[in-house]
Amino acid sequence: MHLISIDDLSVSDIENLFRLSDGFLEIASRSIKKVPTLRGRTVINVFMEPSTRTQSSFELAAKRLSADVINIKESSSSVSKGESLKDTIMTLESYRPDIIVMRHPRVGASRMATRYTNASVVNAGDGTGEHPTQCLLDLYSLRRVYGDLTGLRVAIVGDILRSRVARSDLFGFRKMGIEVRLVGPPTLMPPGIEYWDVPVYDDLEALADVDVIYLLRMQLERAKGKVPPVPSLREYSRVWGLSPYRVKADQRIMHPGPINRGVELSAELADDERSLILHQVESGLAVRMAILYQCLAGSLSEEPAA
Ligand code: CP
C-alpha cells in the first residue's frame, strides 16, 4: 500500500488507522515502548526538506516497531551533488526496503517515487501538494478530544495558498463529516478556490461559531522571488494573529507546526490550555506507527502486540 494523498483512504480505512493508533498510543505509556511487529523490516526516511515533527516521529515509530531505519537528508546526501530523485530512489531500492517515507519540495515527488521502488511509499509532504499523515494525526487528535467528529466545525486560518496541510485537512476532515471553512486574506487563497466547494471568509468574524481554529504558518520560504502576499509579517500579525482574548473559552487551537510565536499566534496562546499543538505531536507518533503497520499489514502474520 502507498499513502500519497488523503484521498487514497476511505472512511473505514481511516477508522481502522484510529483503532490501530489507540493500541500504539497505549504502548507509548509503557516503560518498555517497543514491540516486535516490524522486526526484520526496513524503513528509509528520505527527507529533502527540513522537518522536526514528521521526520522524528516516523523514525521513532519505525524503531518502536523494531524495524531497521535509516535517514537520508538532502544536505548530507548525494542529491547535493546533483543526483536525481529517480537515481536516489533506484539506489535505495537496491537495499530492498519495505517502506520509503518521503518529504520533497516538489509536488508529485512521492507519487513519482512509486515508479522506481517496490516499497510502500508514504508521502511525508510534497511541496504545496499534500501532507496526508498530518491530516490523519489531526483527525486522530480531534477524535481523542471530541469523540464523534460528525458536525464538528473547524476553521483553517492563514496561508492556505501554499499549505499542503490545508489541502489534506480540508479533504480529509470533510470525508469524516467535519464542517470546514477557510479564513484568511484573499491574497493567501489559491486561484480557483471557488471550485473547492468550501466556504471562504476574509474576516476573523468567521471564527465566532467554530469549535476548532486551525492556524497555519506563513510560508514565506516558498515565496522567494515573488511579490509577498502580505505587506509584512508585522501587519499580518496585527490583523490575523490570534491571542488568548480573541479565542472563546470553549474553542480549541490547532497548528501543524512549526509555529511562529508572535506571527499567526501569540506566545501566550501557543502555551494556553486551549492549544492542542503538543497533543497533535503526541498523536502523530501513534498514527505514524499505525501507518507503518498498515503499509505492511497484508504481509504480516499477526495483529500488533498492543
Ligand atoms: N507539521 C510538520 O510537518 O512539521 P515538520 O515540518 O516539523 O515535520
Side-chain angles (χ1 to χ4, degrees):
M1 169 192 123
H2 301 299
L3 177 54
I4 307 299
S5 162
I6 195 67
D7 267 344
D8 294 341
L9 300 174
S10 66
V11 171
S12 68
D13 291 333
I14 293 172
E15 283 169 349
N16 187 42
L17 284 169
F18 288 169
R19 185 182 63 79
L20 289 165
S21 302
D22 288 341
F24 290 128
L25 195 64
E26 188 275 323
I27 287 172
S29 66
R30 297 181 190 170
S31 54
I32 306 291
K33 301 175 177 61
K34 202 163 176 134
V35 289
T37 313
L38 296 190
R39 190 165 49 202
R41 306 300 177 124
T42 302
V43 176
I44 304 183
N45 288 329
V46 180
F47 276 67
M48 300 297 169
E49 262 191 351
S51 168
T52 297
R53 281 145 286 269
T54 314
Q55 194 276 330
S56 61
S57 59
F58 266 117
E59 180 175 354
L60 194 53
K63 287 178 171 169
R64 288 195 173 173
L65 292 167
S66 303
D68 297 316
V69 54
I70 58 173
N71 297 296
I72 309 288
K73 295 188 178 174
E74 183 192 15
S75 56
S76 55
S77 76
S78 290
V79 171
S80 62
K81 302 177 197 165
E83 187 171 65
S84 69
L85 175 63
K86 173 180 172 178
D87 287 321
T88 300
I89 298 298
M90 285 171 52
T91 300
L92 296 174
E93 175 62 12
S94 306
Y95 304 139
R96 306 284 180 263
D98 296 286
I99 301 174
I100 293 178
V101 178
M102 197 166 85
R103 171 167 291 191
H104 198 280
R106 300 278 179 202
V107 176
S110 299
R111 197 173 296 285
M112 181 180 154
T114 63
R115 289 194 222 149
Y116 304 115
T117 178
N118 292 310
S120 290
V121 176
V122 177
N123 179 6
D126 62 333
T128 57
E130 277 222 47
H131 198 347
T133 69
Q134 179 71 44
C135 173
L136 290 167
L137 76 86
D138 289 337
L139 282 168
Y140 185 57
S141 258
L142 288 170
R143 178 179 163 281
R144 287 173 66 200
V145 172
Y146 292 98
D148 187 10
L149 301 179
T150 313
L152 197 69
R153 283 168 296 187
V154 178
I156 303 178
V157 184
D159 191 352
I160 312 287
L161 176 67
R162 290 171 297 223
S163 175
R164 55 195 175 207
V165 174
R167 280 165 185 71
S168 289
D169 277 7
L170 170 61
F171 301 125
F173 285 12
R174 290 200 299 201
K175 192 186 292 256
M176 300 308 286
I178 296 173
E179 291 176 24
V180 184
R181 63 187 68 174
L182 304 179
V183 184
T187 51
L188 289 178
M189 294 294 163
I193 189 120
E194 57 276 19
Y195 301 113
W196 291 21
D197 191 25
V198 60
V200 178
Y201 300 89
D202 63 359
D203 193 315
L204 286 182
E205 289 294 313
L207 306 186
D209 61 342
V210 299
D211 302 295
V212 177
I213 301 170
Y214 195 108
L215 296 170
L216 297 171
R217 183 175 66 87
M218 183 70 73
Q219 298 190 50
L220 289 183
E221 75 276 13
R222 297 197 194 279
K224 279 181 196 138
K226 299 181 187 154
V227 178
V230 292
S232 70
L233 285 184
R234 181 182 295 208
E235 175 160 333
Y236 179 80
S237 168
R238 190 176 56 75
V239 178
W240 292 96
L242 292 195
S243 52
Y245 77 90
R246 281 182 157 176
V247 177
K248 291 185 174 168
D250 60 349
Q251 289 180 319
R252 303 293 188 127
I253 297 295
M254 295 178 81
H255 193 305
I259 60 173
N260 284 148
R261 289 174 186 250
V263 181
E264 64 271 14
L265 79 174
S266 68
E268 295 76 22
L269 186 57
D271 298 330
D272 192 279
E273 62 185 12
R274 288 166 289 181
S275 166
L276 295 178
I277 295 169
L278 295 180
H279 189 271
Q280 289 169 263
V281 177
E282 182 186 62
S283 296
L285 177 56
V287 165
R288 285 171 174 142
M289 288 174 78
I291 290 166
L292 294 180
Y293 172 80
Q294 194 60 38
C295 281
L296 301 179
S299 63
L300 300 173
S301 56
E302 51 191 53
E303 284 273 292

